[in-house]
């Protein structure tokens, strides 16, 4: 690739006839996008082939031209795949680089390819094709992540874990139930990507520079060739708006936000102070100075990388907000945030599925933590309510019982019946069924509740949905 030192005299552009002086090397580098948009080369070639076939079908170019274009683009695709394509800064972007090479290979037919289109509708098509592929990859990876979650949740459908509010022990839940909360989030994430795909999957080509074209084109044919669900219905909108990319980033930001929350918990659970889980060594690193350390670097980086994905969303929103119709060069700045977002989400999901499969659960530590936080206090209150006490009075009775247990340094089920009865005559021997963790878990037996039977049912529904 030519670098910034390139000679000004070399700076001859595709539209140079209109200009009396070449751009400076700095401006050339500043305006070029080939460094990053060459990632869309496969999509650019695919779009060009569909366009050329349509042109030939409509009699706008000859069949011999089409044959040359197909041959030339085929060769270019191979050159790119083999890493032999000579990308040139002077040709600004992926589109002009490929077109120039095509013309060098096949002559005038290469120059006819751009009939009835503009780089404006071309780039919008490429980016949509690229994003569609990225979404399909993300959707498949989300399924892998979900399967890993479901497997672990299944194993721990009945493993008691303290449920927290305000990061204080609140009520018993099962570890499986806790994991299924992340499954639910991931399900909505997948829905969002699938929904965004519908709006990504429309063909801009045919909008040309902004107003459409005077050639007798067949946009529906091109849409079918490229597996689009339909065409963008307004040419000005087609070349200018990038809301589909913003939606993609929003879906990605939420996905990363969910994974960041999960990561925060993994980090906390792995802290020796908590010790609920251990992550497989391959997701951790040691310290260069403290030999005892095993740091959860991967979840910490997931939490950290969420920042750049959120940043991309803000970048694109800001990129769009001041643009008048139709195309403006600002839009060239959409690609790097989109690529970076897709790369980050794809790598994160890939790692996550594997990381979850490698979690070692320390069920004893989870149970010990549960026994220290009066986790069944609400169950005692509910017990009294079921025996006729108004809830506010029951709340007060239990508060006094908790204070007594605290003073004695024990948990509620450790208080003898006689002591409990001092707080309320309504308390009988059967109270111990609700004061135990298992009793508390089993009693929350409705859809969405933490009873192991409900957790297993939720897992079964999820598995059926995944197919
Ligand atoms: N590289 C440009 C982009 O990414 C392609 C479109 C250029 N169009 C133009 N009118 N300068 O948006």
């Amino acid at each position: 690739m030519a670098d910034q030192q390139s000679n000004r005299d070399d700076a001859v552009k595709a539209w140079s006839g209109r200009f009396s002086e070449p751009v400076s090397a700095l401006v050339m580098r500043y305006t070029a996008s080939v460094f990053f948009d060459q990632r869309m080369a496969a999509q650019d070639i695919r779009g060009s082939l569909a366009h050329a076939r349509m042109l030939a079908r409509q009699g706008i170019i000859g069949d011999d031209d089409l044959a040359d274009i197909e041959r030339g683009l085929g060769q270019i695709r191979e050159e790119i795949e083999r890493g032999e394509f000579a990308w040139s800064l002077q040709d600004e972007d992926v589109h002009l680089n490929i077109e120039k090479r095509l013309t060098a290979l096949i002559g005038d037919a290469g120059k006819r390819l751009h009939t009835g289109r503009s780089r404006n509708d071309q780039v919008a098509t490429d980016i949509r094709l690229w994003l569609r592929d990225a979404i399909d990859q993300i959707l498949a990876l989300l399924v892998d992540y979900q399967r890993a979650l479901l497997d672990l949740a299944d194993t721990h459908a009945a493993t008691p874990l303290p449920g927290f509010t305000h990061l204080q022990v609140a009520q018993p839940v099962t570890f499986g139930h806790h994991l299924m909360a992340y499954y639910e989030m991931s399900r909505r994430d997948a829905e969002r990507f699938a929904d965004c795909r519908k709006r990504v999957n429309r063909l801009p080509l045919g909008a040309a520079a902004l107003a459409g074209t005077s050639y007798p084109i067949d946009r529906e044919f091109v849409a079918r060739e490229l597996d689009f669900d339909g065409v963008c219905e307004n040419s000005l909108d087609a070349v200018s708006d990038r809301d589909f990319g913003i939606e993609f980033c929003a879906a990605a930001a939420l996905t990363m936000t969910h994974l960041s929350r999960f990561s925060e918990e993994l980090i906390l659970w792995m802290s020796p102070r908590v010790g609920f889980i251990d992550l497989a060594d391959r997701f951790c690193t040691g310290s260069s100075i403290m030999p005892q350390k095993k740091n959860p670097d991967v979840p910490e980086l997931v939490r950290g990388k969420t920042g750049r994905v959120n940043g991309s969303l803000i970048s694109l929103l800001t990129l769009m907000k001041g643009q008048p119709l139709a195309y403006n060069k600002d839009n060239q700045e959409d690609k790097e945030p989109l690529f970076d977002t897709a790369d980050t989400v794809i790598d994160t999901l890939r790692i996550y599925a594997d990381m979850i499969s490698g979690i070692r659960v320390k069920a004893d530590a989870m149970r010990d933590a549960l026994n220290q936080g009066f986790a069944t206090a609400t169950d005692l209150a509910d017990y009294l309510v079921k025996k006729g006490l108004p809830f506010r009075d029951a709340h007060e009775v239990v508060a006094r019982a908790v204070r007594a247990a605290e003073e004695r340094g024990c948990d509620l089920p450790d208080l003898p019946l006689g002591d409990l009865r001092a707080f309320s005559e309504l308390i009988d021997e059967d109270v111990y069924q609700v004061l135990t963790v298992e009793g508390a878990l089993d009693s929350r037996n409705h859809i969405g509740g933490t009873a192991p039977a409900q957790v297993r049912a939720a897992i079964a529904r999820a598995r059926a949905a995944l197919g």
Side-chain angles (χ1 to χ4, degrees):
M1 187 184 294
D3 62 27
Q4 54 184 299
Q5 306 298 326
S6 69
N7 189 324
R8 283 176 56 130
D9 296 339
D10 293 342
V12 179
K13 298 259 198 164
W15 47 86
S16 59
R18 166 77 176 75
F19 291 80
S20 56
E21 59 170 358
V23 296
S24 74
L26 174 59
V27 169
M28 188 189 285
R29 184 164 56 82
Y30 193 77
T31 53
S33 54
V34 67
F35 316 101
F36 50 84
D37 67 14
Q38 54 181 268
R39 281 190 70 167
M40 306 190 303
Q43 288 76 14
D44 195 67
I45 290 172
R46 205 175 154 202
S48 287
L49 284 170
H51 179 67
R53 282 174 195 141
M54 182 277 291
L55 292 177
R57 215 165 162 258
Q58 299 296 102
I60 302 167
I61 62 170
D63 287 341
D64 47 340
D65 288 331
L66 174 61
D68 287 346
I69 289 170
E70 286 181 328
R71 181 171 47 79
L73 288 176
Q75 178 172 336
I76 291 170
R77 182 190 282 139
E78 281 170 25
E79 289 174 1
I80 293 170
E81 278 167 9
R82 284 199 299 265
E84 286 164 7
F85 190 89
W87 296 104
S88 157
L89 182 72
Q90 286 176 36
D91 296 320
E92 192 175 305
D93 57 24
V94 61
H95 325 291
L96 293 176
N97 266 267
I98 290 177
E99 191 184 321
K100 188 162 176 203
R101 176 73 183 138
L102 184 66
T103 301
L105 285 173
I106 65 170
D108 281 355
K111 297 185 195 163
R112 293 199 179 98
L113 171 62
H114 211 52
T115 311
R117 81 173 178 187
S118 148
R119 278 186 303 155
N120 297 353
D121 57 345
Q122 188 178 355
V123 70
T125 302
D126 292 1
I127 196 77
R128 283 169 183 264
L129 286 172
W130 194 93
L131 264 187
R132 190 177 72 184
D133 288 348
I135 290 173
D136 289 343
Q137 221 179 320
I138 288 171
L139 286 172
L141 287 168
L142 272 168
V143 171
D144 294 344
Y145 164 60
Q146 290 171 330
R147 287 196 197 285
L149 269 178
L150 292 177
D151 286 345
L152 192 64
D154 215 356
T155 310
H156 295 285
T159 305
L161 169 83
F164 294 91
T165 59
H166 313 281
L167 212 53
Q168 297 184 18
V169 173
Q171 290 176 355
V173 295
T174 74
F175 188 50
H177 191 56
H178 195 105
L179 293 170
M180 287 303 284
Y182 286 104
Y183 170 79
E184 285 295 314
M185 295 178 220
S186 75
R187 197 159 65 121
R188 294 193 297 275
D189 291 333
E191 274 174 21
R192 266 184 286 272
F193 277 114
D195 202 61
C196 163
R197 191 189 192 282
K198 293 183 206 157
R199 285 173 289 281
V200 167
N201 206 27
R202 303 235 139 223
L203 175 77
L205 217 55
L210 75 163
T213 175
S214 56
Y215 296 96
I217 57 171
D218 182 349
R219 298 186 66 205
E220 274 78 18
F221 171 81
V222 180
R224 280 195 303 277
E225 283 279 294
L226 295 175
D227 292 325
F228 281 109
D229 295 329
V231 302
C232 300
E233 296 208 4
N234 178 288
S235 62
L236 299 165
D237 174 49
V239 291
S240 70
D241 203 47
R242 296 290 185 266
D243 60 355
F244 59 89
I246 296 173
E247 272 190 57
F248 172 79
C249 284
L254 278 168
T255 301
M256 288 299 292
T257 296
H258 291 149
L259 293 173
S260 180
R261 296 186 68 190
F262 198 0
S263 297
E264 170 66 8
E265 299 212 284
L266 295 179
I267 294 161
L268 217 56
W269 292 340
M270 210 186 131
S271 153
R273 288 283 175 128
V274 178
F276 287 177
I277 62 158
D278 210 3
L279 286 181
D281 285 358
R282 62 184 182 280
F283 301 106
C284 302
T285 60
S287 155
S288 56
I289 174 167
M290 298 166 284
Q292 82 282 16
K293 297 289 292 266
K294 179 175 159 188
N295 299 326
D297 281 29
V298 170
E300 285 174 12
L301 271 173
V302 171
R303 202 173 53 181
K305 283 176 189 290
T306 303
R308 66 198 287 163
V309 173
N310 290 353
S312 294
L313 172 60
I314 298 297
S315 290
L316 290 193
L317 282 167
T318 312
L319 178 71
M320 208 68 242
K321 75 179 274 291
Q323 285 193 52
L325 289 174
Y327 175 87
N328 302 279
K329 185 79 165 179
D330 310 40
N331 275 343
Q332 183 165 287
E333 287 288 307
D334 66 350
K335 283 160 210 70
E336 287 165 295
L338 287 173
F339 295 159
D340 189 72
T341 297
D343 289 345
T344 306
V345 173
I346 285 169
D347 280 352
T348 303
L349 285 172
R350 240 188 226 145
I351 288 185
Y352 236 88
D354 191 20
M355 189 163 67
I356 287 171
S357 314
I359 287 178
R360 193 166 67 79
V361 175
K362 299 179 178 173
D364 291 346
M366 291 178 178
R367 187 178 279 275
D368 285 351
L370 250 181
N371 291 338
Q372 286 161 26
F374 309 108
T376 51
T378 317
D379 297 271
L380 178 55
D382 291 341
Y383 169 88
L384 291 166
V385 168
K386 284 173 200 159
K387 298 226 168 180
L389 204 62
F391 184 78
R392 279 291 156 228
D393 295 339
H395 191 280
E396 186 52 31
V397 167
V398 178
R400 279 188 275 127
V402 165
R403 183 135 49 99
E406 207 165 30
E407 275 161 17
R408 265 181 243 178
C410 67
D411 196 7
L412 284 176
D414 304 323
L415 290 174
L417 185 59
D419 295 24
L420 283 171
R421 282 180 68 85
F423 302 112
S424 170
E425 296 271 294
L426 294 169
I427 298 178
D428 281 315
E429 188 62 47
D430 62 353
V431 75
Y432 291 104
Q433 279 159 34
V434 305
L435 285 184
T436 61
V437 165
E438 272 68 21
L441 290 173
D442 284 338
S443 67
R444 288 165 171 80
N445 192 13
H446 54 78
I447 188 160
T450 193
Q454 290 294 339
V455 175
R456 291 199 181 93
I459 295 169
R461 284 195 299 273
R463 287 205 200 281
L466 285 182

